[in-house]
Amino acid sequence: MERLLFIFNPHSGKGLIKNSLVEIVDTFVREDYEVTIYTTQAPKDATDKVIDSIENYDRIVCSGGDGTLDEVITGVMKSNRRVPVGYIPAGSTNDFGSSLGIDKEMERSANIAAKGDLFPCDIGKFQDDYFVYVAAFGIFTETSYATPQRLKNALGHAAYILEGIKQVNNVPSYHLKIEYDEGEIEDDFIYGMVTNSLSVGGFTGIIKGEVGLSDGVFEGCFVKTPNNPLELNDTLAYLTGLKKNSDHVYTFQSSRFKISCEEELPWTLDGEYGGDHSEVEISNCHEAIDILVEE
């Protein structure tokens, strides 16, 4: 009998997992797993739990938002032990789950986590940390970790938008040098992200072109500081899909990024605070994690 560790955040989304918990565990038991259940108690708790106990399990399944998945994947990466990971989305947004074809119907997602196919997925390395689908800086990026959980539960994705509006009147600009596979750029930016997802923050129009979750490269998107309202409107039209091209946004693919700033720049990793850094190195860990997806 294989052993399965089920880690879930009881506060993600609206706490709806409590209504499906019996059915989820029953799904695992019917597939002949010996199940251990662990509820997260604090930020980074899932990472510590995985590192401390991964050698005792044949499969790890987590349920929560993208931040919970990030913590579990980080734990697996830091343990240097390749154990399949299942994901039951339960957060306010479901960026990475949607990219993998895993919807928010919990019992269906539990079936996928129990007996789906293994998908070797790229994972991002950020300094000595890891991220699953996005590392970002600039306008709106503080929104995901600054929005109170009670507001996320009550309003869902609208809570992020409401929190983000507070930042619009005070947009910081950063002078950056960005080195990547094909060269380097230097400019002033209000926003930037390195992603491995079909959507970010619930929006699908930001990522352009072909996106492969196991192609060895990430998608970079960097928004230049607008000099006037016309440039701002052009940028917003591009990011929301109303325009196919913009002179005010750099987009390209690369397996590595080195981003240098004249000051310390606050980052987010999968929606969680990633620290302040004047220089970061981001690299693609090609097919580093096996994630369960639908057959």
Side-chain angles (χ1 to χ4, degrees), residues 66-181:
D66 291 327
T68 303
L69 177 63
D70 174 279
E71 290 188 16
V72 169
I73 295 294
T74 297
V76 175
M77 292 294 292
K78 289 187 174 182
S79 72
N80 293 316
R81 187 164 186 265
R82 194 161 184 133
V83 173
V85 176
Y87 182 39
I88 302 174
S92 302
T93 59
N94 181 28
D95 286 319
F96 197 66
S98 296
S99 297
L100 290 169
I102 302 173
D103 63 29
K104 282 190 163 184
E105 205 290 298
M106 290 188 175
E107 292 174 43
R108 179 168 171 250
S109 298
N111 268 299
I112 295 171
K115 56 183 180 181
D117 287 341
L118 294 180
F119 174 74
C121 187
D122 294 349
I123 296 298
K125 185 174 184 181
F126 179 95
Q127 308 291 70
D128 295 324
D129 205 347
Y130 295 92
F131 65 94
V132 177
Y133 77 98
V134 63
F137 68 84
I139 186 172
F140 295 137
T141 52
E142 292 183 15
T143 299
S144 53
Y145 61 81
T147 306
Q149 184 67 52
R150 58 178 177 74
L151 198 58
K152 295 180 188 178
N153 291 347
L155 299 176
H157 184 63
Y160 293 99
I161 298 173
L162 289 173
E163 191 72 20
I165 288 172
K166 297 177 183 177
Q167 301 181 36
V168 171
N169 293 325
N170 185 27
V171 181
S173 176
Y174 304 98
H175 187 79
L176 305 179
K177 182 170 77 169
I178 302 167
E179 301 170 64
Y180 60 104
D181 288 346

